[in-house]
Structures are given as C-alpha cells and as structure tokens.
C-alpha cells in the first residue's frame, strides 16, 4: 500500500526502536557520530570550543536549507538563492554604510529577499508550464546582475558601520546567537511540515499536484508562499553572512543553492517531491559542516573536500536505490 | 484532411518564430551599429561561442530524454586541463592526439554519470550536481595550482587560428562546429538511435515496452554529452589559448538556457537540432550586441537574464495560443 510518498497505511505497530534506528534519519545520526569521532582522530584541534568558534561562518547556509527543503518537497527547485543572498547582502552593506539604523537595515534586507522570492513565485504561478529550474536560472542571472549594477565598477563593498553586524554576531556563553536561531527555526519548520495543514499540503502537492488541486488545496498560493519564504530566509542568511565577512562582492553566495540542495538531498528529501523529512536535512547539514571543519583543520585541499562531499552526496542517493533494487530482485 | 498552407506551416513552427526573433535582433543592432553584420564580426562571434554551440547539441539529447546535466563544464575543465598540462609538460606535441585524449576523458566522465543515472536510478540533477563538484575537483588536482598559458601550449593554440580543415577558407573551430551540427542533424532525424532518444523522452514506459533498451539509450546519451564536453574542453583551450581549472565555470547554465530558448522542453521529448542552434545563436548575438548598442558593461548580465526570461515566457504564451487554435479547429 505504499504510495509515492513511501508512507504506508499499515496499522500494525512495529518495534519503535528498530524502526527509528533503521530509518534514514537514524543512519544519519550514527554517521554524524562517526564523522565526529573520525575528525577527532585526524585532528587534535577538533575540540568542542574550536568547532563552535568556526561554526558561524558555515551556519548561515543552513537558513537556506529549511525553505529549500519545502521547495524540494513541492517537487520544484530554486537555483536563484545564491544570487538572492548576494543582492540582499549588498543592500545590507550599503544601507548600513548610509547610516540607517540597524533595525531598519534588517527590514530592508529581508524586504529585498522577499521581493526576489516573490518574483520567482509570481512567474511560476502565472506560467505553471515553465519548469522552476529554468525560471530560477533566469532570475539567478538577473538578481546577481542587479547586485553587480549596485556594486558598480569596483565589484565589492565593505561595511564601515560595523556596530549592528557585530551585535548579531554575538554569543551566549560559547554558543553564537545564530546557532540558537538555526535550531529554533529548524524546530519551527519541522513542526510546520509535520503537524500543520500547510505542511501536509506541501507533501500532497509534491506527490501529485493535480489531485491536490482537485481536492481543494490552493496549490498556487502554497507555491507562492514557499518561494517568498525562500527569499526571506536567503536575506536572513545574507545578514549573518555579512556579520562574519563584513562586506559583499559580486561572488558572494556563489554556489549556496547547490550546498542547500545537497544538504536536503543528503538528508533524504527527494527532488521529485513529496518525500523526505526535514529533520534528516538538519542532521546532514551538521554532518557536512563538521566534516568541512575537521578536514579544514588538517589543511586538506578545499578541492579534495569538494570531491569528498560530491561522492558522499551521490552515495547517499545511490545506496538506498541499490538496496531496494536488490530487494526487488530477491522477491522476483 | 486538408493540407496545411505554407504560411500556416511557417507561423506554426517554433523555429520560425526564433528565426524572426534572430532577424529582428540583428536588424535592430545593425541599425545602431552597421559594423555588426560584417563577415569578420559574425565569424568571430561563431568562433567564440563554438563551445556553447557544440555543448548545446549534447544538452539537447540529455533534455530530450527528460534529464539534465549540470556537470558538463566540470568535465570540460577536467579534460581541457589535462590536455593543457600534457602540452605544458611536453608529454604530447600532436594537436590531433590532444583532441583524442580530451574526448576520451570526457566520454569516461559521461559514462560514469550515465551509469549512475541509468543503472542506479539517481535523479539526473542530483547525480550531475555531485559530479560537478567531483570533476571540478579533479581539474584542480590535475592543475596542481598551475595553469597552462599561451606559450606553454605551443602548437596546440594555433589550431584555433588556422583553417587547414576548412581548405584555408573556414576556421578550423567553425569546421568542427559545422561537422557536429551535420552529424547531429542526420542522427536525430534519420537514425534509429536518434528516434529512440525522442521515443524515450516522450514516454519512457511505452518505449521500454516497445523494445527499446531505455537504460542503454540513457547511458549512450550521457556518454555522448561527455564526449562533446571533452571535445569542447580541447576547443576551449585552443580558442582562449589558456587552460585553467576554473574555466567555463557556471557556463552550463548558458548551455541549458540556449536549449530552452530554442524551444527544447525540459520535461523531454520535444526539441530539435535547429532549435538548439537558434537558441545558442540568439544568446551569442545578445551577448555580443549589448556592448555594441551602448548598454553599460555592468548592466549586461541583468539584461541577458531578463531576455532569457522574456523568451521562455514568450514561448509559453505562443504554445498556449497554438494549443487554443488547435482546439478550436477540432471543435469545428
């Protein structure tokens, strides 16, 4: 009775422990522990304090993961996020340099991101025949292009009025603010996707957009909201990125969209839609961050780290397919 | 059935509207700047866009079977970089051998991707995203923080300057482009393999039942894409007279955009060699024309992105009108 979503309407209770450990998320937790042990073994500097100190610069990408996971659940994709981050970071830097009070800088930045997201959402809702891949490919070029125009011939801007950005980069004990913010928004996003009507409609649309439309789900509205949310969180990521880089240039946020998609897919969220849980994405994000910090500490070539991440990503998608293929063979 | 009039045939086809767009574009630009349509200028545009034009052919096949490949420029860099280093270190001196090696590396790259997608059932966007990281990493490893400049390439870079393949009239690079287009035009229209590609893209299940080895076709298409990427790796090295590990980074989006502008459907089964050619030409003309008509260098990316979005939206609108017309005819 398993549908495309992989959920069954089987009422017989199963062994809860066995089920939890054997699920994809259970495997990810084990992998997370293994990666940490591995990093501790290869690098003597891999201590809790050091990891927490290096974490903030990677954490801002996790903000992109949550709405990206929603978009993937819908069966869509958004590759314009990196450019939205670039444009929002540019606006944040310039607004802050102009002497505008920091709360208004935050509002302006988030507004920029929201508008970017709305443009994507608007085009996709008006022209549902267009695949999101190609629309966001176009807006990817446009958003970064606008940032290039604003940045002018120099191509970069640095923050002179750093007070506000230094404030949001602060810490409570050893934990930076962003760490708590990531966890809180993670929990909110997970609860929304599991327990609310909006969250369940994401899965429904991803499984079959047409049947969800006929069963009364406002497909267009949901799509529009999710893409706007993506823009808003890209702007939040841009704010925290600026608080660690104190500047923006034309290459800011390059490749962020791929990182966010990779985290989500590694966490078991299928790009075909309707499948996967956000908690897996969150665990896999921390796996990737820990691996990057650990391998970075032993001065491994960043390109080799990319090769390892690429191989991990492919294995993560390939292994379940192979095991299910073998099961099918056994049955027949 | 009533025979379609020639006028209907012309206005009804997608390529015709693209030809009109191209002609209008060229006319507008040459009013503003008469030197644009000079033969020398046109040949220069074609030569500089040879890489995009050739890869658009491979991407056409990949999109036709409902896939996507965003790793092509990484395979290109890997193949090009390897050839560049081989020339730099004096291992090979023969231009022809350089091309063969690049194509072999590209095919191997494509074959591995094809295996993962066809046999491992991994979604194309995820598989190629992983390999985008991996092959780009390989390119950096091969380069070993060096690059091959014009003097290191020796005789290899002269290939793009001479025209012995075109009997002294047409540049070598253009000859390769033309040969590729002729081969693909014949292959897609009249060979079994070409028609199989369309069959798989229109309905993979039906193709499988009617005796086509869908997995084999997919494997062949991705290998073909890799072969072309390898060829383009060598071409890019000769045209730009340098081999760097980051070459053509992010240009895969231009290739996809060229295909989509040319009316190739992202969901598979629809598209033609002529469309891919026109799409690539329109992109090339736009890129070359923007500075000629006096648009500021900073604004060029924005304009390019807006034009891409406008063209795909226009495509959808004309498609809707065509469908509506067809429906009306049926009702009568």
């Amino acid at each position: 009775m398993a549908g495309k979503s992989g959920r069954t309407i089987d009422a017989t209770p199963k062994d809860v422990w066995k089920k939890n450990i054997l699920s994809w998320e259970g495997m990810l937790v084990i992998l997370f522990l293994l990666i940490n042990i591995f990093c501790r073994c290869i690098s003597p500097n891999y201590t809790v304090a050091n990891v927490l100190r290096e974490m903030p610069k990677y954490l801002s990408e996790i903000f992109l993961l949550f709405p990206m996971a929603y978009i993937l659940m819908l069966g869509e994709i958004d590759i314009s996020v990196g450019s939205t981050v670039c444009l929002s970071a540019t606006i944040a830097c310039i607004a802050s340099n102009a002497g505008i009070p920091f709360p208004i800088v935050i509002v302006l930045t988030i507004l920029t991101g929201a508008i970017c997201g709305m443009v994507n959402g608007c085009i996709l809702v008006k022209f549902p025949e267009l695949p999101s891949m190609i629309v966001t490919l176009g807006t990817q070029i446009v958003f970064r292009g606008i940032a290039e125009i604003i940045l002018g011939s120099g191509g970069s801007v640095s923050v002179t009025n750093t007070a506000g950005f230094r404030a949001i980069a602060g810490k409570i004990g050893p934990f930076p603010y962003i760490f708590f913010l990531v966890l809180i928004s993670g929990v909110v996003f997970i609860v929304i996707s599991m327990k609310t009507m909006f969250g369940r409609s994401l899965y429904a649309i991803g499984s079959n957009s047409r049947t969800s439309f006929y069963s009364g789900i406002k497909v267009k509205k949901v799509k529009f909201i999710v893409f706007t949310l993506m823009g808003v969180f890209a702007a939040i990521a841009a704010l925290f990125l600026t608080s660690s880089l104190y500047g923006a240039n034309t290459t800011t946020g390059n490749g962020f969209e791929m990182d966010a998609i990779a985290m989500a897919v590694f966490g078991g969220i299928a790009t075909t839609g309707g499948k996967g849980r956000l908690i897996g994405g969150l665990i896999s994000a921390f796996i990737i961050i820990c691996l990057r910090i650990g391998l970075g500490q032993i001065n491994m070539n960043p390109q080799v780290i990319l090769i390892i991440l690429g191989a991990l990503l492919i294995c993560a998608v390939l292994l379940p397919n192979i095991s299910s293929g073998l099961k099918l063979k056994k049955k027949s | 059935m009533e025979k379609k009039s020639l006028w209907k045939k012309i206005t009804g086809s997608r390529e015709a509207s693209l030809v009109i767009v191209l002609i209008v574009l060229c006319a507008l630009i040459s009013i503003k700047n008469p030197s644009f349509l000079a033969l020398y200028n046109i040949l220069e545009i074609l030569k500089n866009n040879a890489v995009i034009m050739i890869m658009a052919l491979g991407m056409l096949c990949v999109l036709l079977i409902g896939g996507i490949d965003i790793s092509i420029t990484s395979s290109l860099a890997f193949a090009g970089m390897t050839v560049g280093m081989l020339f730099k270190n004096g291992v090979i001196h023969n231009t022809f051998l350089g091309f063969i090696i690049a194509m072999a590396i590209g095919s191997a790259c494509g074959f591995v991707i094809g295996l993962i997608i066809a046999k491992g059932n991994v979604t194309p966007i995820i598989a190629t995203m992983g390999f985008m990281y991996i092959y780009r990493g390989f390119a950096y490893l091969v380069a070993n923080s060096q690059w091959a400049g014009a003097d290191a390439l020796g005789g290899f870079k002269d290939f793009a300057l001479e025209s012995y393949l075109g009997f002294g009239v047409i540049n070598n690079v253009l000859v390769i482009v033309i040969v590729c287009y002729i081969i693909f035009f014949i292959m897609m229209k009249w060979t079994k393999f070409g028609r199989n590609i369309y069959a798989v893209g229109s309905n993979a299940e039906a193709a499988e039942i009617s005796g086509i080895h869908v997995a084999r076709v997919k494997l062949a298409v991705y290998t073909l894409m890799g072969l072309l990427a390898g060829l383009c790796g060598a071409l890019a090295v000769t045209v730009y007279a340098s081999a760097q590990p980051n070459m053509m980074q992010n240009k895969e989006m231009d290739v996809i955009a060229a295909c989509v502008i040319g009316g190739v459907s992202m969901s598979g089964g629809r598209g033609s060699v002529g469309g891919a050619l026109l799409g690539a030409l329109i992109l090339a003309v736009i890129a070359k024309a923007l500075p000629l008509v006096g648009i500021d260098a900073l604004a060029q990316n924005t304009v390019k992105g807006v034009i891409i979005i406008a063209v795909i939206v226009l495509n959808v609108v004309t498609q809707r009108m065509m469908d509506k017309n067809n429906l009306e005819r049926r009702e009568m």
Side-chain angles (χ1 to χ4, degrees), chain B:
Chain B
M1 207 179 114
E2 156 192 23
K3 221 178 174 186
K4 268 191 193 170
S5 69
L6 191 65
W7 174 246
K8 275 262 171 66
K9 233 180 194 171
I10 290 173
T11 51
S13 91
R14 212 171 257 282
E15 282 80 15
S17 59
L18 287 172
V19 171
I20 293 169
V21 169
L22 191 61
I23 291 174
V24 169
L25 262 178
C26 288
L28 284 178
I29 299 158
S30 55
I31 290 170
K32 190 100 181 169
N33 190 332
S35 70
F36 177 73
L37 280 182
L39 186 66
Y40 167 79
N41 199 22
I42 292 176
L43 290 179
E44 199 62 13
I45 294 176
L46 290 178
K47 193 178 126 186
N48 282 331
N49 288 282
V51 170
I52 303 282
M53 286 169 72
I54 292 178
M55 285 205 293
L57 282 172
M59 189 59 83
L60 165 75
C61 299
V62 172
L63 291 179
L64 274 178
I65 59 165
I68 194 164
D69 191 342
I70 55 172
S71 71
I72 46 172
T73 46
S74 298
S75 327
L76 178 149
F78 179 34
M81 199 61 227
T82 312
V83 174
M85 290 316 282
L86 286 176
F87 274 103
K88 185 175 180 169
N89 297 333
V91 182
I92 52 172
H93 301 284
N94 188 327
T95 307
F96 183 66
L97 193 63
F99 273 95
I100 297 290
I101 291 174
M103 280 154 77
I105 292 173
S107 313
C109 290
F111 184 74
V112 174
I113 295 173
L115 270 186
I116 300 270
I117 291 173
K119 304 282 181 193
N121 275 328
V122 177
T123 342
I125 176 114
I126 298 305
T128 54
M129 197 168 85
F131 279 108
M132 182 174 78
Y133 289 138
I134 295 176
Y135 293 149
R136 184 66 67 180
F138 283 170
Y140 274 95
L141 288 186
V142 168
N144 200 8
S145 39
Q146 284 177 304
W147 65 290
D151 45 337
L153 289 169
F156 193 58
K157 69 172 189 301
D158 296 334
F159 180 80
L161 303 171
E162 288 162 1
S163 46
Y164 48 83
L165 283 180
F167 307 109
V169 187
I170 311 169
N171 186 290
N172 285 338
V173 178
L174 285 187
V175 174
I176 292 187
V177 174
I178 294 167
V179 168
C180 282
Y181 269 88
I182 292 174
I183 292 175
F184 267 78
F185 188 76
I186 294 170
M187 187 185 87
M188 300 308 282
K189 253 203 150 68
W190 290 299
T191 68
K192 202 173 146 193
F193 176 61
R195 300 323 290 177
N196 281 354
I197 292 177
Y198 278 98
V200 171
S202 308
N203 191 336
E205 230 162 285
E208 182 78 64
I209 291 168
S210 57
I212 298 170
H213 294 281
V214 173
R216 238 182 259 174
V217 171
K218 280 186 180 171
L219 187 58
V221 165
Y222 282 99
T223 313
L224 195 62
M225 177 78 251
L227 177 83
L228 290 181
L231 170 67
C232 288
L235 273 184
V237 171
T238 67
V239 171
Y240 303 117
S242 81
Q244 289 162 357
N246 65 346
M247 63 182 177
M248 303 293 282
Q249 200 157 14
N250 295 334
K251 286 281 190 236
E252 64 273 358
M253 295 304 171
D254 280 19
V255 178
I256 297 170
C259 284
V260 173
I261 288 176
V264 182
S265 156
M266 297 267 296
S267 45
R270 215 182 318 171
S272 66
V273 173
L277 173 67
L278 287 168
L281 282 180
I282 289 177
L283 258 192
V285 167
I286 290 171
K288 181 79 182 175
L290 291 180
L292 282 184
V293 294
I295 288 175
D296 191 39
L298 287 171
Q300 277 167 22
N301 273 334
T302 314
V303 176
K304 193 173 113 190
V306 169
I307 292 177
I308 290 177
I309 296 175
V311 172
I312 54 174
V313 166
L314 201 73
N315 255 341
V316 170
V317 173
T318 49
Q319 183 68 41
R320 278 185 189 173
M321 269 163 59
M322 269 158 65
D323 288 349
K324 210 174 148 197
N325 279 341
N326 288 342
L327 211 63
E328 271 170 7
R329 232 188 351 253
R330 215 178 292 160
E331 274 165 0
M332 283 198 300

Side-chain angles (χ1 to χ4, degrees), chain A residues 308-326:
Chain A
I308 294 174
L309 289 180
L312 261 182
L313 175 67
I314 289 172
C315 288
V317 190
L318 195 58
L319 284 179
N321 284 357
I322 290 178
S323 71
S324 68
L326 286 180

